[in-house]
mmCIF file of all heavy atoms in Angstrom:
data_model
loop_
_atom_site.group_PDB
_atom_site.id
_atom_site.type_symbol
_atom_site.label_atom_id
_atom_site.label_comp_id
_atom_site.label_asym_id
_atom_site.label_seq_id
_atom_site.Cartn_x
_atom_site.Cartn_y
_atom_site.Cartn_z
ATOM 1 N N ASP M 1265 119.896 95.555 34.678
ATOM 2 C CA ASP M 1265 119.714 94.854 33.409
ATOM 3 C C ASP M 1265 118.291 94.958 32.862
ATOM 4 O O ASP M 1265 117.999 94.432 31.786
ATOM 5 C CB ASP M 1265 120.144 93.390 33.512
ATOM 6 C CG ASP M 1265 119.488 92.666 34.668
ATOM 7 O OD1 ASP M 1265 118.593 93.255 35.316
ATOM 8 O OD2 ASP M 1265 119.869 91.518 34.933
ATOM 9 N N THR M 1266 117.397 95.635 33.589
ATOM 10 C CA THR M 1266 116.065 95.938 33.057
ATOM 11 C C THR M 1266 115.832 97.449 33.017
ATOM 12 O O THR M 1266 114.690 97.904 32.993
ATOM 13 C CB THR M 1266 114.964 95.270 33.902
ATOM 14 O OG1 THR M 1266 115.021 95.759 35.256
ATOM 15 C CG2 THR M 1266 115.130 93.757 33.908
ATOM 16 N N ALA M 1267 116.921 98.208 33.009
ATOM 17 C CA ALA M 1267 116.834 99.668 33.056
ATOM 18 C C ALA M 1267 116.159 100.226 31.810
ATOM 19 O O ALA M 1267 116.289 99.682 30.708
ATOM 20 C CB ALA M 1267 118.231 100.271 33.195
ATOM 21 N N ALA M 1268 115.440 101.333 31.980
ATOM 22 C CA ALA M 1268 114.791 102.014 30.859
ATOM 23 C C ALA M 1268 115.807 102.900 30.142
ATOM 24 O O ALA M 1268 116.644 103.546 30.777
ATOM 25 C CB ALA M 1268 113.627 102.858 31.365
ATOM 26 N N ALA M 1269 115.726 102.929 28.826
ATOM 27 C CA ALA M 1269 116.632 103.760 28.037
ATOM 28 C C ALA M 1269 116.291 105.237 28.227
ATOM 29 O O ALA M 1269 115.120 105.614 28.307
ATOM 30 C CB ALA M 1269 116.552 103.386 26.563
ATOM 31 N N VAL M 1270 117.331 106.063 28.306
ATOM 32 C CA VAL M 1270 117.167 107.502 28.496
ATOM 33 C C VAL M 1270 117.188 108.210 27.149
ATOM 34 O O VAL M 1270 118.023 107.915 26.290
ATOM 35 C CB VAL M 1270 118.295 108.065 29.387
ATOM 36 C CG1 VAL M 1270 118.304 109.589 29.358
ATOM 37 C CG2 VAL M 1270 118.129 107.566 30.814
ATOM 38 N N GLU M 1271 116.269 109.133 26.960
ATOM 39 C CA GLU M 1271 116.280 110.020 25.796
ATOM 40 C C GLU M 1271 116.814 111.377 26.249
ATOM 41 O O GLU M 1271 116.203 112.044 27.094
ATOM 42 C CB GLU M 1271 114.882 110.175 25.208
ATOM 43 C CG GLU M 1271 114.848 111.070 23.969
ATOM 44 C CD GLU M 1271 113.454 111.246 23.406
ATOM 45 O OE1 GLU M 1271 112.534 110.522 23.867
ATOM 46 O OE2 GLU M 1271 113.276 112.114 22.537
ATOM 47 N N LEU M 1272 117.953 111.759 25.716
ATOM 48 C CA LEU M 1272 118.574 113.012 26.134
ATOM 49 C C LEU M 1272 117.641 114.199 25.918
ATOM 50 O O LEU M 1272 116.993 114.321 24.880
ATOM 51 C CB LEU M 1272 119.869 113.242 25.357
ATOM 52 C CG LEU M 1272 121.093 112.444 25.807
ATOM 53 C CD1 LEU M 1272 122.253 112.657 24.846
ATOM 54 C CD2 LEU M 1272 121.501 112.819 27.224
ATOM 55 N N GLY M 1273 117.576 115.052 26.933
ATOM 56 C CA GLY M 1273 116.811 116.284 26.821
ATOM 57 C C GLY M 1273 115.317 116.142 26.988
ATOM 58 O O GLY M 1273 114.583 117.125 26.811
ATOM 59 N N ALA M 1274 114.832 114.965 27.339
ATOM 60 C CA ALA M 1274 113.384 114.749 27.480
ATOM 61 C C ALA M 1274 113.052 114.386 28.925
ATOM 62 O O ALA M 1274 113.711 113.524 29.526
ATOM 63 C CB ALA M 1274 112.912 113.643 26.540
ATOM 64 N N TRP M 1275 112.051 115.028 29.498
ATOM 65 C CA TRP M 1275 111.610 114.691 30.847
ATOM 66 C C TRP M 1275 110.934 113.324 30.846
ATOM 67 O O TRP M 1275 110.123 113.026 29.972
ATOM 68 C CB TRP M 1275 110.633 115.737 31.371
ATOM 69 C CG TRP M 1275 111.278 117.004 31.829
ATOM 70 C CD1 TRP M 1275 111.338 118.182 31.167
ATOM 71 C CD2 TRP M 1275 111.955 117.214 33.072
ATOM 72 N NE1 TRP M 1275 112.012 119.121 31.898
ATOM 73 C CE2 TRP M 1275 112.400 118.557 33.088
ATOM 74 C CE3 TRP M 1275 112.228 116.405 34.188
ATOM 75 C CZ2 TRP M 1275 113.103 119.102 34.158
ATOM 76 C CZ3 TRP M 1275 112.917 116.951 35.257
ATOM 77 C CH2 TRP M 1275 113.348 118.282 35.242
ATOM 78 N N MET M 1276 111.260 112.508 31.829
ATOM 79 C CA MET M 1276 110.627 111.210 32.021
ATOM 80 C C MET M 1276 109.892 111.235 33.350
ATOM 81 O O MET M 1276 110.432 111.704 34.360
ATOM 82 C CB MET M 1276 111.683 110.102 32.015
ATOM 83 C CG MET M 1276 112.420 109.971 30.697
ATOM 84 S SD MET M 1276 113.871 108.894 30.823
ATOM 85 C CE MET M 1276 114.962 109.934 31.810
ATOM 86 N N SER M 1277 108.678 110.741 33.377
ATOM 87 C CA SER M 1277 107.862 110.739 34.588
ATOM 88 C C SER M 1277 107.657 109.315 35.084
ATOM 89 O O SER M 1277 107.290 108.420 34.315
ATOM 90 C CB SER M 1277 106.490 111.384 34.311
ATOM 91 O OG SER M 1277 106.642 112.735 33.925
ATOM 92 N N GLU M 1278 107.920 109.102 36.373
ATOM 93 C CA GLU M 1278 107.750 107.783 36.994
ATOM 94 C C GLU M 1278 107.387 107.976 38.459
ATOM 95 O O GLU M 1278 107.158 109.102 38.910
ATOM 96 C CB GLU M 1278 109.031 106.951 36.858
ATOM 97 C CG GLU M 1278 109.017 105.963 35.690
ATOM 98 C CD GLU M 1278 107.991 104.854 35.873
ATOM 99 O OE1 GLU M 1278 107.454 104.715 36.989
ATOM 100 O OE2 GLU M 1278 107.726 104.141 34.904
ATOM 101 N N SER M 1279 107.361 106.889 39.199
ATOM 102 C CA SER M 1279 107.026 106.963 40.616
ATOM 103 C C SER M 1279 107.760 105.872 41.381
ATOM 104 O O SER M 1279 108.211 104.877 40.792
ATOM 105 C CB SER M 1279 105.518 106.823 40.824
ATOM 106 O OG SER M 1279 105.071 105.548 40.371
ATOM 107 N N ILE M 1280 107.892 106.076 42.687
ATOM 108 C CA ILE M 1280 108.431 105.077 43.604
ATOM 109 C C ILE M 1280 107.294 104.674 44.538
ATOM 110 O O ILE M 1280 106.671 105.527 45.177
ATOM 111 C CB ILE M 1280 109.619 105.646 44.418
ATOM 112 C CG1 ILE M 1280 110.795 105.977 43.487
ATOM 113 C CG2 ILE M 1280 110.047 104.673 45.504
ATOM 114 C CD1 ILE M 1280 111.449 104.776 42.850
ATOM 115 N N ARG M 1281 107.014 103.364 44.621
ATOM 116 C CA ARG M 1281 105.923 102.854 45.456
ATOM 117 C C ARG M 1281 106.405 101.598 46.198
ATOM 118 O O ARG M 1281 106.108 100.473 45.797
ATOM 119 C CB ARG M 1281 104.702 102.514 44.599
ATOM 120 C CG ARG M 1281 104.059 103.703 43.892
ATOM 121 C CD ARG M 1281 103.307 104.599 44.870
ATOM 122 N NE ARG M 1281 102.509 105.623 44.197
ATOM 123 C CZ ARG M 1281 102.948 106.821 43.880
ATOM 124 N NH1 ARG M 1281 104.204 107.156 44.185
ATOM 125 N NH2 ARG M 1281 102.171 107.704 43.280
ATOM 126 N N PRO M 1282 107.165 101.762 47.280
ATOM 127 C CA PRO M 1282 107.735 100.600 47.982
ATOM 128 C C PRO M 1282 106.713 99.560 48.426
ATOM 129 O O PRO M 1282 106.984 98.354 48.369
ATOM 130 C CB PRO M 1282 108.439 101.245 49.184
ATOM 131 C CG PRO M 1282 108.749 102.627 48.746
ATOM 132 C CD PRO M 1282 107.591 103.026 47.878
ATOM 133 N N LYS M 1283 105.534 99.981 48.861
ATOM 134 C CA LYS M 1283 104.547 99.016 49.343
ATOM 135 C C LYS M 1283 104.025 98.115 48.225
ATOM 136 O O LYS M 1283 103.462 97.047 48.503
ATOM 137 C CB LYS M 1283 103.378 99.750 50.010
ATOM 138 C CG LYS M 1283 103.749 100.391 51.347
ATOM 139 C CD LYS M 1283 102.532 100.992 52.021
ATOM 140 C CE LYS M 1283 102.890 101.581 53.375
ATOM 141 N NZ LYS M 1283 101.712 102.158 54.057
ATOM 142 N N ARG M 1284 104.222 98.553 46.991
ATOM 143 C CA ARG M 1284 103.814 97.733 45.836
ATOM 144 C C ARG M 1284 105.008 96.990 45.228
ATOM 145 O O ARG M 1284 104.896 96.406 44.154
ATOM 146 C CB ARG M 1284 103.173 98.616 44.774
ATOM 147 C CG ARG M 1284 101.970 99.408 45.263
ATOM 148 C CD ARG M 1284 101.453 100.322 44.166
ATOM 149 N NE ARG M 1284 100.456 101.269 44.663
ATOM 150 C CZ ARG M 1284 99.941 102.258 43.944
ATOM 151 N NH1 ARG M 1284 100.341 102.420 42.684
ATOM 152 N NH2 ARG M 1284 99.055 103.076 44.467
ATOM 153 N N GLY M 1285 106.148 97.033 45.890
ATOM 154 C CA GLY M 1285 107.343 96.376 45.375
ATOM 155 C C GLY M 1285 108.171 97.236 44.446
ATOM 156 O O GLY M 1285 109.171 96.776 43.906
ATOM 157 N N ASP M 1286 107.773 98.498 44.242
ATOM 158 C CA ASP M 1286 108.498 99.419 43.361
ATOM 159 C C ASP M 1286 109.439 100.264 44.225
ATOM 160 O O ASP M 1286 109.062 101.331 44.715
ATOM 161 C CB ASP M 1286 107.507 100.304 42.609
ATOM 162 C CG ASP M 1286 108.197 101.286 41.677
ATOM 163 O OD1 ASP M 1286 109.418 101.154 41.455
ATOM 164 O OD2 ASP M 1286 107.517 102.199 41.174
ATOM 165 N N ARG M 1287 110.665 99.784 44.422
ATOM 166 C CA ARG M 1287 111.587 100.414 45.354
ATOM 167 C C ARG M 1287 112.671 101.241 44.678
ATOM 168 O O ARG M 1287 113.175 102.201 45.252
ATOM 169 C CB ARG M 1287 112.255 99.348 46.226
ATOM 170 C CG ARG M 1287 111.280 98.648 47.161
ATOM 171 C CD ARG M 1287 111.954 97.502 47.889
ATOM 172 N NE ARG M 1287 111.117 96.996 48.959
ATOM 173 C CZ ARG M 1287 110.139 96.119 48.783
ATOM 174 N NH1 ARG M 1287 109.890 95.649 47.574
ATOM 175 N NH2 ARG M 1287 109.414 95.707 49.800
ATOM 176 N N ARG M 1288 113.065 100.853 43.474
ATOM 177 C CA ARG M 1288 114.119 101.559 42.757
ATOM 178 C C ARG M 1288 113.771 101.610 41.282
ATOM 179 O O ARG M 1288 113.175 100.679 40.737
ATOM 180 C CB ARG M 1288 115.472 100.842 42.895
ATOM 181 C CG ARG M 1288 115.968 100.585 44.308
ATOM 182 C CD ARG M 1288 117.279 99.822 44.222
ATOM 183 N NE ARG M 1288 117.899 99.596 45.513
ATOM 184 C CZ ARG M 1288 117.987 98.417 46.108
ATOM 185 N NH1 ARG M 1288 117.442 97.355 45.526
ATOM 186 N NH2 ARG M 1288 118.594 98.282 47.278
ATOM 187 N N ASP M 1289 114.162 102.687 40.627
ATOM 188 C CA ASP M 1289 114.021 102.785 39.175
ATOM 189 C C ASP M 1289 115.408 103.013 38.575
ATOM 190 O O ASP M 1289 116.128 103.933 38.973
ATOM 191 C CB ASP M 1289 113.105 103.950 38.788
ATOM 192 C CG ASP M 1289 111.639 103.663 39.100
ATOM 193 O OD1 ASP M 1289 111.294 102.485 39.291
ATOM 194 O OD2 ASP M 1289 110.853 104.624 39.165
ATOM 195 N N TRP M 1290 115.766 102.174 37.608
ATOM 196 C CA TRP M 1290 117.063 102.266 36.937
ATOM 197 C C TRP M 1290 116.880 102.763 35.511
ATOM 198 O O TRP M 1290 115.910 102.398 34.823
ATOM 199 C CB TRP M 1290 117.745 100.901 36.909
ATOM 200 C CG TRP M 1290 118.366 100.495 38.199
ATOM 201 C CD1 TRP M 1290 117.737 99.913 39.266
ATOM 202 C CD2 TRP M 1290 119.734 100.628 38.572
ATOM 203 N NE1 TRP M 1290 118.629 99.674 40.274
ATOM 204 C CE2 TRP M 1290 119.864 100.101 39.879
ATOM 205 C CE3 TRP M 1290 120.869 101.133 37.933
ATOM 206 C CZ2 TRP M 1290 121.095 100.064 40.548
ATOM 207 C CZ3 TRP M 1290 122.084 101.091 38.606
ATOM 208 C CH2 TRP M 1290 122.185 100.573 39.894
ATOM 209 N N TYR M 1291 117.845 103.566 35.071
ATOM 210 C CA TYR M 1291 117.878 104.089 33.706
ATOM 211 C C TYR M 1291 119.284 103.904 33.151
ATOM 212 O O TYR M 1291 120.264 103.828 33.910
ATOM 213 C CB TYR M 1291 117.492 105.573 33.686
ATOM 214 C CG TYR M 1291 116.110 105.852 34.219
ATOM 215 C CD1 TYR M 1291 115.899 106.096 35.575
ATOM 216 C CD2 TYR M 1291 115.000 105.860 33.380
ATOM 217 C CE1 TYR M 1291 114.630 106.334 36.078
ATOM 218 C CE2 TYR M 1291 113.728 106.095 33.872
ATOM 219 C CZ TYR M 1291 113.546 106.336 35.220
ATOM 220 O OH TYR M 1291 112.293 106.563 35.708
ATOM 221 N N VAL M 1292 119.396 103.845 31.827
ATOM 222 C CA VAL M 1292 120.698 103.627 31.208
ATOM 223 C C VAL M 1292 120.833 104.493 29.964
ATOM 224 O O VAL M 1292 119.850 104.753 29.252
ATOM 225 C CB VAL M 1292 120.891 102.134 30.847
ATOM 226 C CG1 VAL M 1292 119.865 101.670 29.802
ATOM 227 C CG2 VAL M 1292 122.305 101.868 30.356
ATOM 228 N N ILE M 1293 122.054 104.948 29.717
ATOM 229 C CA ILE M 1293 122.344 105.748 28.527
ATOM 230 C C ILE M 1293 123.795 105.522 28.108
ATOM 231 O O ILE M 1293 124.669 105.349 28.961
ATOM 232 C CB ILE M 1293 122.083 107.250 28.782
ATOM 233 C CG1 ILE M 1293 122.253 108.044 27.496
ATOM 234 C CG2 ILE M 1293 122.953 107.789 29.909
ATOM 235 C CD1 ILE M 1293 121.816 109.486 27.604
ATOM 236 N N ASP M 1294 124.032 105.506 26.812
ATOM 237 C CA ASP M 1294 125.385 105.449 26.269
ATOM 238 C C ASP M 1294 125.783 106.848 25.830
ATOM 239 O O ASP M 1294 125.078 107.484 25.039
ATOM 240 C CB ASP M 1294 125.458 104.489 25.074
ATOM 241 C CG ASP M 1294 125.221 103.045 25.494
ATOM 242 O OD1 ASP M 1294 125.621 102.684 26.611
ATOM 243 O OD2 ASP M 1294 124.627 102.286 24.703
ATOM 244 N N SER M 1295 126.898 107.317 26.352
ATOM 245 C CA SER M 1295 127.329 108.674 26.039
ATOM 246 C C SER M 1295 127.591 108.829 24.543
ATOM 247 O O SER M 1295 128.319 108.024 23.952
ATOM 248 C CB SER M 1295 128.604 109.004 26.815
ATOM 249 O OG SER M 1295 129.148 110.218 26.390
ATOM 250 N N PRO M 1296 127.019 109.851 23.896
ATOM 251 C CA PRO M 1296 127.225 110.023 22.455
ATOM 252 C C PRO M 1296 128.645 110.457 22.102
ATOM 253 O O PRO M 1296 129.157 110.119 21.030
ATOM 254 C CB PRO M 1296 126.210 111.110 22.074
ATOM 255 C CG PRO M 1296 125.997 111.872 23.343
ATOM 256 C CD PRO M 1296 126.111 110.878 24.455
ATOM 257 N N ARG M 1297 129.270 111.190 23.005
ATOM 258 C CA ARG M 1297 130.627 111.687 22.774
ATOM 259 C C ARG M 1297 131.297 111.918 24.122
ATOM 260 O O ARG M 1297 130.683 111.740 25.169
ATOM 261 C CB ARG M 1297 130.588 113.005 21.978
ATOM 262 C CG ARG M 1297 130.125 112.859 20.531
ATOM 263 C CD ARG M 1297 129.911 114.199 19.852
ATOM 264 N NE ARG M 1297 128.854 114.968 20.484
ATOM 265 C CZ ARG M 1297 127.558 114.770 20.280
ATOM 266 N NH1 ARG M 1297 127.161 113.814 19.467
ATOM 267 N NH2 ARG M 1297 126.653 115.519 20.898
ATOM 268 N N LYS M 1298 132.537 112.352 24.085
ATOM 269 C CA LYS M 1298 133.223 112.744 25.309
ATOM 270 C C LYS M 1298 132.591 114.036 25.824
ATOM 271 O O LYS M 1298 132.322 114.959 25.057
ATOM 272 C CB LYS M 1298 134.707 112.967 25.037
ATOM 273 C CG LYS M 1298 135.505 113.409 26.259
ATOM 274 C CD LYS M 1298 136.950 113.655 25.901
ATOM 275 C CE LYS M 1298 137.737 114.154 27.125
ATOM 276 N NZ LYS M 1298 139.158 114.438 26.778
ATOM 277 N N GLY M 1299 132.318 114.083 27.133
ATOM 278 C CA GLY M 1299 131.702 115.281 27.685
ATOM 279 C C GLY M 1299 131.233 115.068 29.106
ATOM 280 O O GLY M 1299 131.830 114.286 29.859
ATOM 281 N N VAL M 1300 130.139 115.745 29.462
ATOM 282 C CA VAL M 1300 129.600 115.680 30.814
ATOM 283 C C VAL M 1300 128.112 115.366 30.753
ATOM 284 O O VAL M 1300 127.351 116.063 30.063
ATOM 285 C CB VAL M 1300 129.802 117.013 31.561
ATOM 286 C CG1 VAL M 1300 129.197 116.947 32.959
ATOM 287 C CG2 VAL M 1300 131.286 117.367 31.642
ATOM 288 N N LEU M 1301 127.718 114.320 31.434
ATOM 289 C CA LEU M 1301 126.299 114.004 31.585
ATOM 290 C C LEU M 1301 125.765 114.746 32.811
ATOM 291 O O LEU M 1301 126.409 114.769 33.865
ATOM 292 C CB LEU M 1301 126.083 112.510 31.772
ATOM 293 C CG LEU M 1301 126.046 111.627 30.517
ATOM 294 C CD1 LEU M 1301 125.852 110.179 30.923
ATOM 295 C CD2 LEU M 1301 124.950 112.059 29.566
ATOM 296 N N THR M 1302 124.606 115.334 32.666
ATOM 297 C CA THR M 1302 123.958 116.025 33.785
ATOM 298 C C THR M 1302 122.573 115.422 33.982
ATOM 299 O O THR M 1302 121.873 115.130 33.006
ATOM 300 C CB THR M 1302 123.830 117.532 33.515
ATOM 301 O OG1 THR M 1302 122.978 117.749 32.381
ATOM 302 C CG2 THR M 1302 125.191 118.141 33.233
ATOM 303 N N ALA M 1303 122.196 115.229 35.219
ATOM 304 C CA ALA M 1303 120.886 114.657 35.526
ATOM 305 C C ALA M 1303 120.190 115.524 36.569
ATOM 306 O O ALA M 1303 120.808 115.942 37.555
ATOM 307 C CB ALA M 1303 121.032 113.229 36.046
ATOM 308 N N ALA M 1304 118.912 115.801 36.339
ATOM 309 C CA ALA M 1304 118.110 116.590 37.264
ATOM 310 C C ALA M 1304 116.897 115.771 37.679
ATOM 311 O O ALA M 1304 116.157 115.265 36.827
ATOM 312 C CB ALA M 1304 117.673 117.903 36.623
ATOM 313 N N LEU M 1305 116.683 115.635 38.978
ATOM 314 C CA LEU M 1305 115.563 114.888 39.538
ATOM 315 C C LEU M 1305 114.638 115.872 40.242
ATOM 316 O O LEU M 1305 115.085 116.681 41.065
ATOM 317 C CB LEU M 1305 116.077 113.836 40.523
ATOM 318 C CG LEU M 1305 115.029 113.006 41.270
ATOM 319 C CD1 LEU M 1305 114.268 112.112 40.302
ATOM 320 C CD2 LEU M 1305 115.693 112.172 42.359
ATOM 321 N N ARG M 1306 113.359 115.799 39.923
ATOM 322 C CA ARG M 1306 112.372 116.672 40.544
ATOM 323 C C ARG M 1306 111.273 115.793 41.139
ATOM 324 O O ARG M 1306 110.432 115.250 40.426
ATOM 325 C CB ARG M 1306 111.793 117.662 39.521
ATOM 326 C CG ARG M 1306 112.821 118.642 38.988
ATOM 327 C CD ARG M 1306 113.291 119.577 40.089
ATOM 328 N NE ARG M 1306 114.310 120.520 39.653
ATOM 329 C CZ ARG M 1306 115.618 120.342 39.826
ATOM 330 N NH1 ARG M 1306 116.064 119.230 40.400
ATOM 331 N NH2 ARG M 1306 116.476 121.259 39.427
ATOM 332 N N GLY M 1307 111.298 115.650 42.470
ATOM 333 C CA GLY M 1307 110.363 114.763 43.143
ATOM 334 C C GLY M 1307 109.167 115.474 43.722
ATOM 335 O O GLY M 1307 109.151 116.698 43.863
ATOM 336 N N GLN M 1308 108.191 114.700 44.052
ATOM 337 C CA GLN M 1308 106.971 115.204 44.660
ATOM 338 C C GLN M 1308 107.289 115.853 46.002
ATOM 339 O O GLN M 1308 108.149 115.391 46.758
ATOM 340 C CB GLN M 1308 106.007 114.033 44.857
ATOM 341 C CG GLN M 1308 104.654 114.384 45.432
ATOM 342 C CD GLN M 1308 103.786 113.137 45.508
ATOM 343 O OE1 GLN M 1308 103.767 112.305 44.616
ATOM 344 N NE2 GLN M 1308 103.053 113.013 46.613
#
């Protein structure tokens, strides 16, 4: 319920820092039409 909105086709940069309380990052998107959502994650 505090997820960041996704912009289709744009890279988003964030980090995971468990020792600082940053354990998970949530994102949300509403599908524009019927189709297939694809997600690519590129970590350090």
Side-chain angles (χ1 to χ4, degrees):
D1265 53 7
T1266 61
V1270 168
E1271 181 181 350
L1272 282 174
W1275 283 102
M1276 297 168 289
S1277 298
E1278 262 294 348
S1279 62
I1280 295 293
R1281 296 287 189 270
K1283 289 185 178 181
R1284 303 176 190 173
D1286 180 11
R1287 293 174 169 83
R1288 304 178 176 110
D1289 288 342
W1290 283 83
Y1291 300 89
V1292 63
I1293 186 171
D1294 293 326
S1295 171
R1297 291 172 297 280
K1298 179 182 178 182
V1300 178
L1301 277 179
T1302 63
L1305 177 66
R1306 295 293 178 263
Q1308 182 177 319

